[in-house]
């Protein structure tokens, strides 16, 4: 299963929390994947957090079916082609503008 979240990579979006939840989920569902569609000030921190959690992460690379657990796509003009991969969409914002 693929889980997806889209939006700016910023603290109010809760991306880091989702990485922790996803890492726990991977224990039960080892073939799960997470796509974080977007970019922002937390990109570097989210990559480090992913690695610290033992998740294989790639940044701004194509979804290539590799052994990656997490894809951080960077900003995309069209997110719908990436969302099509997802079985579940995550919306975890603590606030919206």
């Amino acid at each position: 299963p693929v889980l997806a979240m889209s939006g700016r990579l910023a603290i109010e979006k809760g991306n880091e929390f989702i990485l922790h939840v996803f890492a726990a989920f991977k224990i039960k569902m080892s073939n799960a994947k997470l796509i974080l569609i977007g970019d922002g000030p937390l990109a570097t921190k989210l990559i480090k957090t992913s690695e610290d959690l033992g998740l294989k992460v790639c940044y701004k690379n194509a979804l290539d079916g590799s052994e990656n657990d997490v894809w951080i796509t960077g900003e995309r003009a069209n997110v719908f082609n990436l969302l099509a991969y997802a079985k579940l969409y995550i919306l975890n914002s603590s606030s919206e503008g």
Side-chain angles (χ1 to χ4, degrees):
V2 176
L3 293 74
M5 185 174 186
S6 65
R8 201 165 59 91
L9 305 180
I11 197 160
E12 65 273 5
K13 300 300 183 181
N15 311 101
E16 190 168 11
F17 174 75
I18 292 303
L19 285 173
H20 286 273
V21 171
F22 180 71
F25 180 69
K26 287 269 307 168
I27 294 168
K28 298 277 187 186
M29 187 74 71
S30 62
N31 62 336
K33 307 291 183 185
L34 176 64
I35 304 172
L36 298 178
I37 305 166
D39 213 342
L42 286 186
T44 302
K45 183 175 184 181
L46 295 173
I47 292 166
K48 172 98 169 72
T49 299
S50 297
E51 292 168 347
D52 291 347
L53 292 168
L55 300 169
K56 295 177 185 171
V57 61
C58 71
Y59 181 55
K60 295 186 177 182
N61 290 335
L63 301 178
D64 58 7
S66 70
E67 295 299 314
N68 293 311
D69 301 307
V70 178
W71 282 270
I72 301 174
T73 67
E75 188 174 338
R76 298 292 175 106
N78 179 5
V79 300
F80 298 107
N81 60 336
L82 296 173
L83 292 177
Y85 289 99
K87 295 286 184 192
L88 178 70
Y89 181 79
I90 301 166
L91 179 61
N92 189 52
S93 299
S94 60
S95 66
E96 288 293 332

